[in-house]
Amino acid sequence: MPKLHVGIDVSLKAHHIQFMDEAGQDLASFQVLGDPQGADTLIHKVLETTQTKHMDRVVVGMEATANLGWHLAHYLKQQLEDHAPHLDAQIHVLNARRVARFKKAYDHLPKNDRIDAWVIADHLRFGRLPQAMTDTIRYEALQRLTRTRFHVMQTMSRDKTFFLNQLFLKFSGLRQDNPFSDTFGATSLAVIQELEPEQIAAMPLEDLVALLVDKSRNKFDDPKQIAQELQKVARRSFRLDKVMQDPVNLSLSVTLNLIQHMDAEVKKLDRAIARLMKAIPNTLESVKGIGPVYAAGIIAEVGDIRRFKNHNALAKYAGLVWNQYQSGEYEADETSRMRTGNKYLRYYLIQAADQVRRHDSEYAEFYRKKHDEAPVLTHEPV
């Protein structure tokens, strides 16, 4: 069946379009505005071209460029289904890295929007495409929440690292050997915010013990021991110049406020994710340690599991595969992980696996076995 290939180079205000037939002949090249009127113009030209050329199939492709092509892809799919049911229309959202690699085969091509649309159309013509868009709106709704959560968690992780770097300036010993199990726990933060190392070192032990009991709500088994360790690290800490004290304390306070605000926002996202998950049947939550948030992160990115042939295809999609290095009789034992794949799915799979390790003794035993088999690059499990 003859078909029309439509390559779209999306941008914020306008999209460049390339029409191409199965033989690679250029049929049309034009621009449309990045709004519904522009999309309607594109649909009109698609219908006109397929009618003139007696085509009954349309393959549309665009790169996954942030969210700039999201509205266009969904609008085209819906409008073509509603107003041109006679056309076998497929919409493909392409990996930009794969398109760039495909373009490298044409070493003479310049870089501009028209050429990029042409490359996408030619890529569609050669095939080996990802699954066409299906009705995935509920998964995409879930993605908005799980991907936002990922973004906030990454930002919060960076801010915590920044906070710890500032903490070394104020209280170097506490950064090196913190007697508290969690630097960001309530008692640890109270000490950091309210006291200077020299005050801790000079404070009577009984007063420091009383402060720790109050701030921890008497949750420490041996507050006296913690107080003694705290005074020890305070005495061996560097003293900060008085000119630096107020700027460092303000930096710590502002950064901590941001971290605590983001932590509260993550809890809002978790509640919204849990509500959406009630409408999506799944078995992931039956696994020990996997709750609605991590299950949602996995489901939102996987979508319909039937689009993956096997677990190897899913692992590759997540970027949890390792390169092979083999030549003749030699094959390397150590290779690097491929730097491709869906980073969101990879994050939620790894986080979920770690929770399973913590809650399932059988899985924990398997994890320990594989950990002990690693000849190098080992770590100490938490």
Side-chain angles (χ1 to χ4, degrees), residues 83-206:
H83 301 294
H86 61 284
L87 282 179
D88 179 10
Q90 296 182 346
I91 314 291
H92 296 274
V93 180
L94 306 173
N95 184 299
R97 187 192 296 266
R98 292 187 63 179
V99 175
R101 287 176 176 171
F102 180 84
K103 185 179 180 181
K104 286 184 178 179
Y106 301 94
D107 55 1
H108 63 283
L109 293 179
K111 173 71 176 79
N112 59 58
D113 294 342
R114 184 183 68 80
I115 292 298
D116 290 345
W118 185 92
V119 169
I120 292 171
D122 206 37
H123 182 37
L124 297 174
R125 189 170 67 88
F126 274 79
R128 293 185 177 274
L129 303 172
Q131 185 185 40
M133 277 182 60
T134 56
D135 186 14
T136 60
I137 197 68
R138 66 173 179 172
Y139 295 121
E140 293 186 28
L142 197 58
Q143 275 184 5
R144 289 309 94 210
L145 298 176
T146 55
R147 290 188 176 189
T148 300
R149 188 185 190 278
F150 170 88
H151 172 75
V152 175
M153 291 298 294
Q154 296 296 105
T155 304
M156 189 158 58
S157 177
R158 288 193 295 271
D159 282 355
K160 284 186 175 183
T161 299
F162 182 79
F163 180 91
L164 293 174
N165 289 336
Q166 305 309 301
L167 177 59
F168 182 79
L169 293 177
K170 174 175 180 170
F171 202 158
S172 59
L174 194 65
R175 180 71 178 90
Q176 293 167 330
D177 191 16
N178 195 335
F180 303 108
S181 58
D182 180 10
T183 301
F184 293 92
T187 310
S188 176
L189 290 177
V191 169
I192 293 168
Q193 290 179 292
E194 298 176 17
L195 300 172
E196 299 295 332
E198 51 268 33
Q199 292 177 291
I200 295 172
M203 186 180 292
L205 184 61
E206 311 82 62

Side-chain angles (χ1 to χ4, degrees), residues 12 20 60 63 123 147 154 176 180 184 218 234 243 267 280 289 307 327 340 349 359 377:
L12 181 60
M20 186 180 291
V60 180
E63 292 180 338
H123 182 37
R147 290 188 176 189
Q154 296 296 105
Q176 293 167 330
F180 303 108
F184 293 92
N218 201 24
V243 176
K267 289 181 173 63
I280 301 177
R307 62 194 184 109
S327 179
T340 56
L349 283 173
H359 291 85
L377 301 177

Side-chain angles (χ1 to χ4, degrees), residues 343-354:
K343 65 180 180 181
Y344 303 105
L345 177 58
R346 183 165 62 248
Y347 168 81
Y348 282 108
L349 283 173
I350 292 172
Q351 294 296 320
D354 187 53

